[in-house]
Amino acid sequence: MAAAAPLLSLLLFLLLLPASNSIYCDEDDCYDLLGLKQDANASEIKKAYYKLSLKHHPDKNPDPESRKLFVKIANAYEILKDESTREQYDYAIAHPEEVFYNTAQYYRAYYGHKTDPRAVLIGLLLIVSAFQYINQLTRYNQAIESVKQTPAYRNRLKALEFERTGGIASKKKGHKQMDKKVEEAVSNEVELQIHGVEKPSVWRLYGVQFILLPYFIGKVLTWEICWFWRYRVKKLPYAWEDACYLTQTSLKIPASTWKNIDESRKEDLVTRRLWEKSNMERYIAETRKESKRRR
C-alpha cells in the first residue's frame, strides 16, 4: 500500500489537471467565442473581434453577463491575433495528451520574461559588479584594520612620529592631531604591504572587463602576432621585458612575486634561459642539490 501511494497521487494529479487547451480560454473554444473556424485568417479574426466588441463592450452594453462575455472575447482575440500563441493553441487542440508541454508553452508565452536580453545582461553585470566592488572594499578595509593592530605598524608609527618631531615627544594639545596626520602618512605605506588583498578598482570589475573585452582580445592578438614575427620569423634576441616574462612563466610564479625579487637575482635567472627545457631541468637539479646541502 505504501508503494502504491505515490502512484495514486500521480493519477489523482493527472485527473485534476485541466485539459491543456482549456488554460487558454477556460472551458470555451477561442474560435467559437469569436464565431470563427480554425482556418480563419488574421483579417477575419480582427473583423470578428471588432464586431463582437461593438455588441458586448461595457460602454455599449451595461449587462453584467455581457461584460463577462466581453472579457472572454477579448482574451480569445489576444490569443488568436498573435501568430505564436495561436500556433501554440492550435497545437494544444491537436495534441491534448501533451498536457505538460502545452501548459509549459502557455506560461512561457504569458508569464515568461519578454525583456530585451541585452538589457537583462547589462542589469545583471551592474548588479554583480556592485556586489563585487562592495566585497572587495570590505575585504580591503578589514585587511587595513588588521594591519593597524600589528606591532610592526605601531612601531613604524612611533618611529615616523619620532622622526618628524626630531626625537622630542610633544606634550602640546595638538599632539593627538599630529598622531592622526602621522597615522594617515603611515597608512599610505602600509597599504602597499598587504599581500593577497588588492585595493578596489573599477577597472577590475566584471562589468567593465566585459565592456573592454574586445579591446583586450585585440591587444592579446596584436601581442601574439608581434611576438611571432619578432622571435619566430626574424629570430631576434629576446628583449629584457620579454625574457623576464618567459622566466616568470617558466618558474610559474605570480607577477607580484617576480616584481619583489632582487634585481641581481632576476638577472641571474634570466641569463639562465629557464624557458628552455634543458636549462630548466639543470636549474631544478641544482636547486634540489643546494637544498639537500643546507640540510
Side-chain angles (χ1 to χ4, degrees):
M1 290 294 293
L7 182 60
L8 291 174
S9 300
L10 178 62
L11 290 174
L12 183 62
F13 172 74
L14 292 174
L15 289 174
L16 294 176
L17 195 68
S20 56
N21 61 324
S22 67
I23 59 177
Y24 287 88
C25 292
D26 295 327
E27 298 300 327
D28 300 302
D29 184 287
C30 295
Y31 290 102
D32 289 345
L33 285 170
L34 295 177
L36 298 170
K37 294 183 179 180
Q38 193 170 347
D39 59 353
N41 57 39
S43 178
E44 291 173 339
I45 292 172
K46 190 173 182 179
K47 288 179 181 178
Y49 169 70
Y50 282 116
K51 182 179 179 181
L52 291 170
S53 63
L54 290 174
K55 180 179 179 181
H56 297 285
H57 195 279
D59 294 340
K60 303 290 183 180
N61 191 338
D63 182 29
E65 293 300 323
S66 183
R67 180 190 295 270
K68 293 179 181 179
L69 181 59
F70 175 75
V71 172
K72 293 183 177 182
I73 292 170
N75 179 57
Y77 176 67
E78 289 296 323
I79 291 169
L80 298 180
K81 76 173 184 177
D82 184 85
E83 293 183 4
S84 177
T85 54
R86 182 183 179 183
E87 184 179 349
Q88 292 171 8
Y89 177 67
D90 290 344
Y91 186 90
I93 293 175
H95 303 85
E97 72 282 357
E98 298 183 19
V99 179
F100 294 105
Y101 174 79
N102 293 326
T103 304
Q105 289 292 92
Y106 170 80
Y107 285 109
R108 180 182 177 185
Y110 282 90
Y111 299 103
H113 296 289
K114 297 182 179 181
T115 309
D116 189 340
R118 293 170 294 184
V120 174
L121 178 60
I122 293 172
L124 182 62
L125 285 173
L126 288 174
I127 294 172
V128 171
S129 298
F131 278 108
Q132 181 189 6
Y133 186 83
I134 293 171
N135 178 58
Q136 290 179 356
L137 184 61
T138 303
R139 289 181 58 201
Y140 183 75
N141 289 335
Q142 289 175 348
I144 290 291
E145 292 302 321
S146 298
V147 170
K148 287 183 178 180
Q149 302 303 319
T150 60
Y153 175 86
R154 293 176 181 175
N155 292 337
R156 177 57 181 153
L157 182 65
K158 291 179 181 178
L160 186 56
E161 184 178 4
F162 185 82
E163 179 183 342
R164 291 191 175 185
T165 58
I168 301 174
S170 177
K171 296 183 180 180
K172 296 180 179 179
K173 294 182 179 180
H175 179 58
K176 292 184 178 180
Q177 186 66 25
M178 176 62 73
D179 285 349
K180 291 182 180 180
K181 292 181 179 179
V182 172
E183 187 172 354
E184 290 177 2
V186 176
S187 297
N188 295 331
E189 298 178 15
V190 172
E191 290 172 5
L192 302 176
Q193 300 172 10
I194 300 177
H195 299 290
V197 181
E198 295 182 348
K199 192 172 184 179
S201 173
V202 176
W203 300 107
R204 286 195 294 268
L205 297 179
Y206 294 137
V208 177
Q209 290 183 350
F210 181 79
I211 294 172
L212 297 177
L213 185 61
Y215 166 75
F216 289 133
I217 293 175
K219 188 175 180 180
V220 170
L221 289 175
T222 303
W223 184 86
E224 291 285 351
I225 293 171
C226 292
W227 184 282
F228 180 81
W229 175 257
R230 187 179 300 161
Y231 301 125
R232 295 291 182 269
V233 178
K234 301 184 72 175
K235 298 192 179 298
L236 296 174
Y238 290 111
W240 171 255
E241 292 80 6
D242 295 334
C244 288
Y245 169 76
L246 289 172
T247 305
Q248 174 197 329
T249 53
S250 299
L251 293 172
K252 297 179 181 180
I253 59 177
S256 57
T257 304
W258 174 261
K259 186 178 180 180
N260 294 327
I261 294 176
D262 184 73
E263 291 298 325
S264 59
R265 177 60 176 164
K266 284 183 183 179
E267 187 174 354
D268 176 62
L269 292 172
V270 170
T271 53
R272 288 173 178 266
R273 299 178 66 87
L274 298 178
W275 53 88
E276 296 178 4
K277 186 177 180 180
S278 58
N279 295 339
M280 175 57 76
E281 291 175 350
R282 190 180 304 111
Y283 173 75
I284 293 174
E286 291 176 1
T287 304
R288 290 176 178 174
K289 186 176 180 181
E290 180 66 19
S291 179
K292 288 181 181 179
R293 187 184 67 79
R294 290 180 179 178
R295 291 177 185 174

